[in-house]
Amino acid sequence: MASIVSSLSAEDELKLHEFFSSRVCFQLLYKSSHHGADIGQLLDRFDKHGKYLFTVFPSTGMARGAFISKSLKYEKEYSDKEAFVFQMRDKHNYRFPELNCTTDIAVSVGSCSISFGSHLNLKLDQDYWYYSEVFYRGTFQKEVLCKDVELHCVQDLGDILPNPWREVVWHDNTRENLRKDFASYKMLLESLPRVKTLLLGPVGSGKSSFINSLRSTMYERIVHLPSIGTAVEGFTQKVTTYGIRIKLRGPQSALSFCDVKAIGDDESTGLSYTDALAVIKGHVPEGYKFQSDVTVSDTVSGYIANPTLNDQVHCVLFVLDASKVASYPSSLQPTLRKLHSAISDLGIPQLILLTHVDQVCLAVQKDLKDVYSSQTVQDKMQKAAELVGLPLSYVLPVKNYVSQLTMDRNTDILLLSVAMSILQAVDDTFEDQYSNPVPKIPSVKKIVE
């Protein structure tokens, strides 16, 4: 439905929201100018369950319509205690009384008509929709041609909090400033030009997709490297480090990512605890392919016995899927907690990347700006924090570029905020670990408080 645009303006939608006690969003299902003026086409857009909004755009006058909380999937008369008819005006909208009588709402396929009490009647005639309303003592006024008739699904967004619990400035300037800050970032420790961040997560959590997405953000177009796929034990099977360039064919940024085999339900099906620590400490060579029956040791070809700071991992990013975080196997939590404890002992900063946040909340799916206003997303973030054993403030929600072919400002802002959080976390750690740190460049303004 992405190619079909509603005739409702943003201002119209705000006016319609006034009719509802809770926050809702509208999803366009039928538009007569696109699908054709056909009652069968319209009725086919209904599910057996759902709430719907009819909006009529007459050739003269203001838009009007009706809300119903029951499907018109079947041809019959029925009552609907939540239903009402409305009329939109320049300054004030008007909502007619609820339609409670059993004869208020009627669909007649034979006569190609839909009635909403005495306030609004739609009739199809020679491939055009006409509407009429009560004029005087139950008599309908002259029928008026409709420029368009739309049907929207009404989705309840009741979990949206009145105020966001993290403040983000969702502007084009925010994205551009984040890009510039990320591209120019210099590490506190001059001997470390590039941070190596290890991505750890279950199969399908979105590790490789995140690398792709951040690259897309910097290149300002969708890119398709590294390769992404699906497999029972995860698509990635070997150690691969990916740099993030500040632009296409440009210089490398201060951030790189190390992608490895996914964490499994147990050590026999995924990355083992021993192998994960070997990667973190810098012993595992680039390109090493993990084997379930072989643990990384000094007998492995290319084994790095005395890793330098550049060989080591400087930050660990646990990657979890918001749509699965409540249904992961019970064995995952002790695995993550064990890794978290060992990584803490090594003095390495850790963060949690929560992907697919748009799949757990309809409001966020419609508008990513609601990510920090959604109670559902907050609950998923809290669950992710509990799985690893980190505070909620260490959880960073994102939406990866998975199906999109064009860039999105708000998606970019979340992705770039993660990149900046990683760099700042590593610098904060180095500031404590080194007694005489290199003077720091002016601090980068944090977008997410």
Side-chain angles (χ1 to χ4, degrees):
M1 302 298 291
S3 61
I4 312 173
V5 179
S6 172
S7 296
L8 288 172
S9 65
E11 184 179 1
D12 290 335
E13 287 205 25
L14 287 175
K15 290 179 180 178
L16 287 173
H17 286 160
E18 297 174 3
F19 294 136
F20 299 90
S21 57
S22 61
R23 191 175 179 188
V24 298
C25 69
F26 309 118
Q27 180 183 1
L28 183 60
L29 301 176
Y30 166 85
K31 185 177 177 70
S32 61
S33 61
H34 178 87
H35 296 99
D38 183 281
I39 194 168
Q41 278 273 10
L42 189 153
L43 294 177
D44 283 344
R45 304 291 161 173
F46 284 94
D47 288 325
K48 292 183 179 180
H49 306 282
K51 299 183 179 183
Y52 301 91
L53 186 81
F54 277 96
T55 311
V56 176
F57 300 90
S59 54
T60 58
M62 296 294 181
R64 60 208 66 207
F67 167 76
I68 54 175
S69 66
K70 296 181 179 180
S71 172
L72 293 182
K73 190 73 174 178
Y74 305 104
E75 179 185 356
K76 65 178 182 179
E77 297 178 350
Y78 72 108
S79 64
D80 183 350
K81 293 183 179 180
E82 295 184 47
F84 61 84
V85 174
F86 63 88
Q87 181 173 317
M88 301 178 69
R89 298 175 179 174
D90 288 329
K91 294 183 179 180
H92 301 288
N93 299 331
Y94 186 76
R95 169 175 164 167
F96 295 94
E98 283 74 7
L99 309 173
N100 291 330
C101 298
T102 58
T103 58
D104 273 349
I105 302 172
V107 179
S108 175
V109 175
S111 60
C112 297
S113 65
I114 303 174
S115 298
F116 301 96
S118 59
H119 301 294
L120 181 64
N121 184 63
L122 279 173
K123 186 175 182 180
L124 188 64
D125 186 19
Q126 295 182 350
D127 297 328
Y128 289 99
W129 283 107
Y130 291 84
Y131 95 91
S132 55
E133 60 183 1
V134 166
F135 179 66
Y136 180 68
R137 291 185 178 179
T139 303
F140 284 104
Q141 69 176 26
K142 182 180 179 181
E143 293 179 340
V144 177
L145 176 67
C146 300
K147 293 187 296 184
D148 227 336
V149 173
E150 294 183 356
L151 176 67
H152 297 255
C153 177
V154 179
Q155 299 173 324
D156 189 5
L157 306 180
D159 80 323
I160 296 300
L161 303 172
N163 297 302
W165 46 282
R166 284 183 184 173
E167 292 292 342
V168 178
V169 181
W170 304 98
H171 291 162
D172 288 337
N173 286 342
T174 303
R175 173 169 62 176
E176 293 313 307
N177 289 336
L178 278 168
R179 274 202 187 109
K180 290 176 183 177
D181 291 341
F182 176 65
S184 62
Y185 200 96
K186 303 296 182 186
M187 296 306 298
L188 177 72
L189 199 65
E190 289 185 346
S191 60
L192 181 71
R194 191 161 298 113
V195 165
K196 183 190 288 187
T197 302
L198 176 63
L199 302 175
L200 287 179
V203 173
S205 57
K207 299 186 288 97
S208 300
S209 293
F210 172 67
I211 299 171
N212 259 352
S213 298
L214 188 55
R215 280 180 161 179
S216 298
T217 296
M218 297 309 295
Y219 294 176
E220 300 185 44
R221 68 168 178 82
I222 302 298
V223 298
H224 303 286
L225 290 173
S227 298
I228 297 173
T230 57
V232 175
E233 294 187 11
F235 188 75
T236 302
Q237 294 293 317
K238 61 183 182 180
V239 177
T240 308
T241 303
Y242 299 96
I244 305 296
R245 297 183 183 275
I246 64 174
K247 63 180 180 179
L248 185 63
R249 299 183 182 87
Q252 296 283 357
S253 71
L255 184 61
S256 67
F257 292 100
C258 181
D259 200 7
V260 296
K261 187 176 182 179
I263 297 173
D265 294 343
D266 53 56
E267 295 204 358
S268 65
T269 60
L271 183 71
S272 70
Y273 170 79
T274 302
D275 285 357
L277 288 187
V279 173
I280 293 169
K281 294 177 180 179
H283 295 301
V284 184
E286 181 75 9
Y288 174 79
K289 188 171 183 177
F290 295 100
Q291 303 173 59
S292 57
D293 56 343
V294 177
T295 300
V296 174
S297 66
D298 56 8
T299 61
V300 169
S301 176
Y303 181 85
I304 304 171
N306 299 301
T308 66
L309 182 62
N310 289 325
D311 295 321
Q312 299 167 16
V313 165
H314 314 112
C315 182
V316 173
L317 197 62
F318 290 98
V319 185
L320 300 173
D321 184 341
S323 66
K324 301 176 183 177
V325 71
S327 58
Y328 280 132
S330 57
S331 60
L332 182 63
Q333 180 166 338
T335 299
L336 295 176
R337 290 286 184 102
K338 185 178 180 181
L339 284 167
H340 162 53
S341 178
I343 295 166
S344 297
D345 290 342
L346 294 172
I348 295 173
Q350 306 166 66
L351 296 168
I352 300 172
L353 183 73
L354 190 65
T355 62
H356 303 126
V357 292
D358 56 308
Q359 295 183 14
V360 298
C361 177
L362 289 172
V364 176
Q365 189 177 83
K366 182 177 176 64
D367 192 343
L368 198 57
K369 289 189 293 186
D370 281 324
V371 67
Y372 290 124
S373 298
S374 169
Q375 183 65 60
T376 299
V377 172
Q378 186 181 38
D379 292 343
K380 300 295 184 183
M381 291 173 65
Q382 184 64 57
K383 179 62 177 177
E386 291 171 359
L387 277 175
V388 180
L390 286 167
L392 180 61
S393 60
Y394 285 58
V395 184
L396 308 171
V398 294
K399 173 186 175 182
N400 286 333
Y401 286 113
V402 178
S403 60
Q404 301 93 321
L405 296 177
T406 56
M407 306 304 297
D408 174 71
R409 178 194 65 193
N410 297 337
T411 299
D412 289 345
I413 288 174
L414 287 183
L415 290 164
L416 288 165
S417 296
V418 172
M420 292 303 299
S421 295
I422 294 170
L423 295 174
Q424 291 165 351
V426 174
D427 262 349
D428 290 344
T429 301
F430 285 161
E431 192 166 20
D432 287 338
Q433 290 180 349
Y434 292 85
S435 56
N436 295 305
V438 176
K440 198 172 185 179
I441 61 171
S443 61
V444 178
K445 182 180 179 181
K446 292 186 178 179
I447 301 302
V448 180
E449 299 294 341

